[in-house]
RNA sequence: GGAGAGAUGGCCGAGUAGGCUGAAGGCGCUCGCCUGCUAAGCGAGUAAGCGGCUAAUACCUGCUUCGAGGGUUCGAAUCCCUCUCUCUCCGCCA
């Protein structure tokens, strides 16, 4: 959520920023409503001020044995006026909130302006795609041939976009999760959290999924509860409605959760394999930091995510997303894209964003620098550290052998009970 | 699912014949004093949001907030209704 006072003070600048995201009109109506709100507020407060003092006056007179009937009658009438104005005020504030909740974050000045991913900028690459002496298979073929991925039975259980992992496949998924968590907690200083996988609508609004992206999520029948689309939601919302005390920041959190996404509007994309599922596993990184450090923290967080790919020996590149490709809550985002031989291109496996105070404002996450100082909004960051299903796909494809077997990356072997090769 | 109890400031905890209680007291915290260190002691301060005024997120000032939302009343933390959550007991259950 943007700062209403900032919009009021610099409407043209904010509009320009929004134009970079192709929605210059998002602010329309705001300034008028904002003015209307303050005008009504001024009136009500004046009336309430009168009511407060008049009521005390009544109390005083009654104590003296008088019966101030005219004054009581006057205050009663004022009360009616207040009620009317309060309703108007509430209606106006609701309109303002609707506008504000639907405006995305403003892009950071370092973000390239563009309509879509074509304007993304490659920042760096790591590793060289392997040269195969044979025609490499796609992970869905490798997995099915080895009988470690089962898409047919997954469809029987749950429909399309689900996968059943079996034997070494299931173990590999679990190994990757544990490897990531151990690395981030042990080496990178994150605190491990195991959150609920269902959260309230308030949480979803706090991180920006609601109200605009309800169709992308699974909502529980008859409940104001949603399956988490990413652990970013429960992790960031851990501190919703809190004032974090002096010396507590920065907070680094990591969690494994399954992620549930309706994938509305992506029919026909990535229909084969585990790349785009209704349920997938992910280890997420979340940081809550002071505003001064947040961009430095974004670089560090991105490096933390990259580290797992390096240790797994998976070639990747880092992309700086353009204004047209960024998510709703982000001010700046780096995507990590891993090399997938079957796609013959790099595919997103992590997204690391600085949301600045956008989510903090929605979720009311504040901190106090020192005792007695005014609380201010923290900055929140999040990044995949990284997507587990896509990691497994990348391992299968990048580590496949001519005979159909798959070599286990060395760092995972301790998590695989020493297994170094998956073969039929 | 059934029965009961409760939700007050950073924490604990007063506050029901409705009125100067934004809220006693304690703890914690901040600043100062004092004791040659430490402990103890003394004094003062210590909620947030939204407006007005401002260069100001400094003063000053208004309004709101005692789980949430409605109602009664000149006036509600205190009375009434609805909801949410927490705790205890019973039932069910991994």
């Amino acid at each position: 959520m943007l700062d209403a006072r900032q919009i009021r003070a610099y409407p043209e600048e904010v509009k320009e920023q929004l134009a970079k995201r192709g929605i210059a009109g998002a602010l329309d109506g705001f300034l008028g409503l904002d003015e209307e709100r303050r005008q009504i507020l001024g009136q009500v407060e004046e009336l309430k001020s009168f009511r407060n003092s008049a009521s005390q006056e009544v109390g005083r007179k009654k104590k003296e044995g008088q019966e101030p009937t005219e004054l009581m009658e006057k205050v009663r009438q004022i009360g009616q006026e207040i009620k009317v104005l309060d309703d108007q005020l509430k209606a106006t504030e609701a309109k303002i909130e609707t506008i504000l909740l639907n405006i995305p974050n403003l892009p950071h000045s370092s973000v390239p302006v563009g309509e879509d991913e074509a304007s993304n900028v490659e920042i760096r690459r790591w590793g060289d795609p392997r040269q195969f002496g044979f025609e490499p298979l796609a992970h869905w073929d490798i997995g099915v041939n080895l009988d470690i991925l089962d898409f047919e039975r997954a469809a029987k259980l749950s429909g399309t976009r689900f996968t059943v992992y079996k034997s070494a496949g299931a173990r590999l998924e679990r190994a990757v999760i544990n490897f990531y968590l151990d690395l981030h907690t042990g080496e990178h200083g994150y605190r491990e959290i195991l959150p609920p996988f269902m959260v309230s609508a308030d949480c979803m609004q706090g991180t920006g999924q609601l109200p605009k992206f309800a169709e992308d999520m699974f909502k529980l029948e008859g409940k104001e509860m949603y399956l988490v689309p990413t652990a970013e939601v429960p992790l960031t919302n851990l501190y919703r409605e809190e004032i974090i005390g002096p010396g507590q920041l920065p907070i680094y959190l990591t969690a494994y959760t399954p992620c549930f996404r309706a994938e509305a509007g992506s029919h026909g994309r990535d229909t084969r394999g585990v790349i785009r599922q209704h349920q997938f596993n992910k280890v997420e990184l979340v940081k809550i930091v002071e505003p001064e450090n947040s961009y430095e923290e974004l670089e560090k967080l991105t490096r933390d995510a990259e580290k797992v790919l390096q240790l797994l020996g998976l070639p990747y590149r880092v992309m700086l997303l353009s204004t047209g490709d960024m998510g709703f809550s982000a001010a700046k985002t780096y995507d990590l894209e891993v090399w997938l031989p079957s796609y013959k291109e790099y595919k997103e496996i992590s997204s690391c964003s600085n949301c600045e105070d956008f989510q903090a404002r929605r979720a009311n996450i504040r901190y106090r620098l020192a005792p007695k100082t005014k609380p201010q909004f923290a900055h929140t960051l999040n990044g995949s550290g990284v997507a587990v299903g896509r990691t497994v796909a990348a391992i299968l494809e990048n580590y496949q052998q001519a005979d159909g077997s798959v070599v286990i990356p060395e760092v995972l072997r301790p998590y695989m009970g020493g297994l170094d090769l998956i073969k039929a």
Side-chain angles (χ1 to χ4, degrees):
Chain A
M1 190 153 63
L2 303 184
D3 180 2
R5 275 182 290 198
Q6 187 196 355
I7 303 176
R8 192 187 300 154
Y10 308 103
E12 290 313 312
E13 286 80 349
V14 173
K15 215 170 195 173
E16 261 173 54
Q17 296 285 85
L18 289 172
K20 292 182 185 172
R21 301 191 63 145
I23 45 162
L27 271 188
D28 288 352
F30 173 83
L31 290 175
L33 288 166
D34 182 59
E35 179 57 39
E36 183 179 314
R37 170 178 164 272
R38 278 179 300 152
Q39 193 257 327
I40 299 171
L41 190 60
Q43 287 181 41
V44 201
E45 289 190 349
E46 199 174 319
L47 292 177
K48 284 182 177 173
S49 181
F50 172 80
R51 180 175 67 181
N52 288 343
S53 51
S55 294
Q56 286 185 12
E57 178 77 15
V58 170
R60 255 196 308 276
K61 293 233 163 105
K62 284 202 167 186
K63 214 165 261 179
E64 293 168 9
Q66 303 181 42
E67 196 60 26
T69 20
E70 327 90 65
L71 185 55
M72 282 165 66
E73 179 54 30
K74 185 168 180 194
V75 177
R76 192 207 308 277
Q77 282 170 11
I78 299 263
Q80 299 302 319
E81 289 179 46
I82 289 175
K83 201 168 286 182
V84 172
L85 286 172
D86 263 341
D87 287 345
Q88 285 180 27
L89 188 62
K90 223 176 276 184
T92 305
E93 284 177 342
K95 285 184 205 161
I96 291 172
E97 182 162 352
T98 301
I99 292 177
L100 250 26
L101 285 176
N102 283 287
I103 298 177
N105 203 355
L106 303 180
H108 186 257
S109 58
S110 63
V111 172
V113 178
E115 283 188 19
D116 51 35
E117 69 271 12
S119 302
N120 295 349
V121 175
E122 183 175 318
I123 302 296
R124 58 181 169 267
R125 274 182 197 223
W126 185 92
D128 295 313
R130 172 180 157 202
Q131 299 303 313
F132 289 90
F134 55 95
E135 188 58 35
L137 297 177
H139 68 272
W140 51 85
D141 288 327
I142 301 167
V144 169
N145 292 344
L146 292 171
D147 196 29
I148 58 173
L149 298 182
D150 191 335
F151 299 103
E152 286 184 18
R153 289 200 175 88
K156 180 167 68 181
L157 296 179
S158 312
T160 58
R161 295 201 188 283
F162 287 93
T163 304
V164 171
Y165 292 77
K166 302 195 291 195
S167 49
R171 181 81 185 257
L172 183 57
E173 185 87 2
R174 183 158 58 89
V176 169
I177 292 168
N178 287 331
F179 166 59
Y180 286 173
L181 285 173
D182 285 352
L183 182 74
H184 293 313
T185 57
E187 304 293 319
H188 299 151
Y190 293 80
R191 182 181 188 189
E192 184 172 349
I193 304 291
L194 183 59
F197 301 160
M198 294 180 256
V199 297
S200 69
D202 287 339
C203 289
M204 289 298 189
Q205 183 173 103
T207 32
Q209 283 76 17
L210 287 179
K212 223 178 166 184
F213 306 100
E215 327 72 47
D216 294 339
M217 298 179 302
F218 288 105
K219 183 172 186 292
L220 301 197
E221 176 96 36
K223 305 253 185 202
E224 282 306 307
M225 296 274 279
Y226 296 80
L227 298 181
V228 295
T230 160
E232 166 199 346
V233 176
L235 289 183
T236 305
N237 277 286
L238 276 179
Y239 291 92
R240 185 160 51 87
E241 305 292 342
E242 289 194 27
I243 297 174
I244 299 162
Q248 306 278 297
L249 298 183
I251 293 170
Y252 288 13
L253 305 170
T254 186
Y256 150 73
T257 69
C259 303
F260 302 94
R261 300 194 182 171
E263 294 297 347
S266 57
H267 302 293
R269 294 185 60 195
D270 306 312
T271 48
R272 301 201 65 186
V274 305
I275 298 303
R276 192 173 297 275
Q277 303 275 285
H278 286 312
Q279 176 188 323
F280 63 95
N281 295 311
K282 184 155 61 72
V283 169
E284 183 75 1
L285 306 173
V286 160
K287 290 184 174 184
I288 300 175
V289 306
E290 291 174 27
E292 293 68 37
N293 317 325
S294 68
Y295 279 95
E296 197 179 308
E297 294 281 6
L298 175 62
E299 298 299 323
K300 276 172 64 187
L301 185 147
T302 306
R303 298 284 183 180
D304 291 340
E306 285 177 61
K307 188 72 180 178
V308 306
L309 298 178
Q310 293 172 11
L311 291 172
L312 288 170
L314 295 170
Y316 68 89
R317 63 178 186 175
V318 180
M319 304 295 287
L320 172 58
L321 298 194
S322 74
T323 52
D325 202 23
M326 273 199 305
F328 185 75
S329 300
K332 181 173 183 173
T333 299
Y334 291 114
D335 269 9
L336 268 46
E337 299 182 339
V338 70
W339 178 256
L340 283 185
S342 68
Y343 278 68
K344 292 190 171 57
E345 59 183 45
Y346 289 93
K347 189 79 182 167
E348 179 187 342
I349 195 168
S350 172
S351 196
C352 304
S353 303
N354 184 358
C355 298
E356 297 191 359
D357 65 3
F358 186 84
Q359 293 180 324
R361 212 174 273 287
R362 291 179 156 243
N364 203 18
I365 301 169
R366 292 171 294 172
Y367 75 101
R368 220 188 284 275
L369 207 52
K372 283 183 69 175
T373 57
K374 206 172 160 56
Q376 50 185 313
F377 291 112
H379 279 195
T380 62
L381 299 88
N382 65 80
S384 341
V386 301
V388 175
R390 289 185 181 185
T391 300
V392 167
I395 290 170
L396 295 181
E397 294 199 5
N398 283 283
Y399 282 87
Q400 63 181 298
Q401 307 293 105
D403 65 358
S405 64
V406 173
V407 173
I408 306 289
E410 209 144 337
V411 292
L412 291 180
R413 290 177 193 170
Y415 294 94
M416 295 292 286
L419 190 70
D420 58 1
L421 186 74
I422 303 175
K423 54 179 188 249

